Amino acid sequence: MMELIQLKNITKAYRRQSPDAPALEDINLTIHRGELIAIMGPSGSGKSTLLNILGFMDHPTEGEYLFDAQPLQRISSRHIHRTRNQMVGFVFQHFALLKDYTVQDNVILPLTFRKGKHKDRVAKATHYLEKVGLASHRLKKANELSGGQQQRVAIARALVGEPELILADEPTGNLDRRTGEEIMDLLQQLHHEGRTIIIVTHDDEVAKRCDRIIRLVDGKVLTDQNNYQNQV
């Protein structure tokens, strides 16, 4: 498999922290295209910090991040913003939808930063809403939907820009077990279509459905293992 991401000796320290206890310390990871990865660890282990760095939402204090063979530290902020918009889709635990906007308008949002006609954006949003089973709800307000439906809208929004990478932060954390399983069914389907997906989760059942499990403790990688049970 081709490499999508390389993290080399990544360390992240915040000013309020002791220099002896950074949020992340000496992280070395290679992520290949098409992988489905779970990042696990106790609260405060650095999971969200790592996800923010992977998604260009935060910058490491030390080390090198290569995305699609490009060293991000050596390119402009404008190029980083464009790469994030075009190459990365985000799914959050609390959905992060604009509640007074329609479902369709929420999904279109990532495309508003790109050139193109409105009718083409609507067509693409409709396509991905069909993919998550919500095309018939496209003109409803986001706050009229159930939690599971809102998460499906968030996934459609993550997909609409056709990114290389999907980052999901506790995507089943606010959902009941059955709805969470449906969301994981959808993410696994996207993985089988070739998407690279990284999921931060506390849920062992979610992790079991991933191909690789990375465990963090105190800002360091404790284990990085292939989940052979899921591959059988």
Side-chain angles (χ1 to χ4, degrees):
M1 289 188 293
M2 295 180 62
E3 293 176 358
L4 178 63
I5 289 171
Q6 277 190 296
L7 301 183
K8 299 180 178 181
N9 307 113
I10 292 291
T11 293
K12 177 64 180 182
Y14 295 101
R15 291 181 181 179
R16 65 180 181 274
Q17 289 179 307
S18 164
D20 297 326
L24 295 174
E25 183 175 359
D26 200 28
I27 300 291
N28 291 279
L29 290 172
T30 298
I31 294 168
H32 297 91
R33 282 181 167 83
E35 285 195 284
L36 174 58
I37 297 174
I39 298 177
M40 303 192 76
S43 296
S45 61
K47 302 186 301 300
S48 293
T49 299
L50 178 57
L51 203 71
N52 287 339
I53 288 175
L54 290 171
F56 320 142
M57 303 293 286
D58 203 351
H59 305 284
T61 309
E62 299 176 19
E64 188 172 27
Y65 178 7
L66 287 85
F67 186 91
D68 202 19
Q70 294 187 79
L72 296 187
Q73 289 87 341
R74 301 176 194 174
I75 62 179
S76 68
S77 296
R78 182 177 181 180
H79 185 76
I80 288 175
H81 291 317
R82 185 167 62 249
T83 300
R84 181 173 61 214
N85 177 253
Q86 295 180 352
M87 303 284 279
V88 185
F90 296 90
V91 181
F92 301 101
Q93 177 178 359
H94 299 289
F95 320 133
L97 301 178
L98 297 175
K99 300 297 177 67
D100 292 329
Y101 280 46
T102 66
V103 167
Q104 176 177 281
D105 286 343
N106 269 280
V107 175
I108 285 173
L109 275 174
L111 301 179
T112 60
F113 301 99
R114 304 185 189 184
K115 295 179 180 179
K117 297 179 179 179
H118 180 69
K119 67 177 183 179
D120 295 331
R121 295 171 182 169
V122 170
K124 187 169 280 191
T126 300
H127 170 73
Y128 284 103
L129 283 168
E130 287 173 351
K131 195 172 189 67
V132 301
L134 286 178
S136 62
H137 292 63
R138 65 185 183 278
L139 298 182
K140 289 185 177 180
K141 296 289 183 65
N143 61 8
E144 296 174 355
L145 304 184
S146 68
Q149 289 173 328
Q150 289 187 53
Q151 194 60 292
R152 286 176 179 271
V153 174
I155 292 171
R157 181 185 58 194
L159 290 172
V160 75
E162 299 176 344
E164 284 275 352
L165 175 66
I166 296 174
L167 301 176
D169 192 358
E170 297 283 1
T172 64
N174 275 348
L175 306 175
D176 61 72
R177 174 63 63 183
R178 180 177 177 180
T179 306
E181 289 175 353
E182 292 174 353
I183 293 300
M184 276 307 300
D185 289 343
L186 180 55
L187 290 173
Q188 277 194 308
Q189 176 189 335
L190 297 171
H191 161 57
H192 292 147
E193 293 173 1
R195 305 279 181 176
T196 307
I197 303 175
I198 301 174
I199 302 172
V200 162
T201 183
H202 284 95
D203 191 331
D204 288 328
E205 294 304 314
V206 169
K208 286 177 182 177
R209 298 181 65 172
C210 297
D211 298 329
R212 178 177 168 195
I213 302 173
I214 298 168
R215 295 184 186 274
L216 299 182
V217 173
D218 296 332
K220 300 177 182 179
V221 175
L222 178 66
T223 59
D224 180 358
Q225 298 176 321
N226 288 325
N227 187 7
Y228 295 107
Q229 178 182 358
N230 190 48
Q231 297 173 13
V232 173

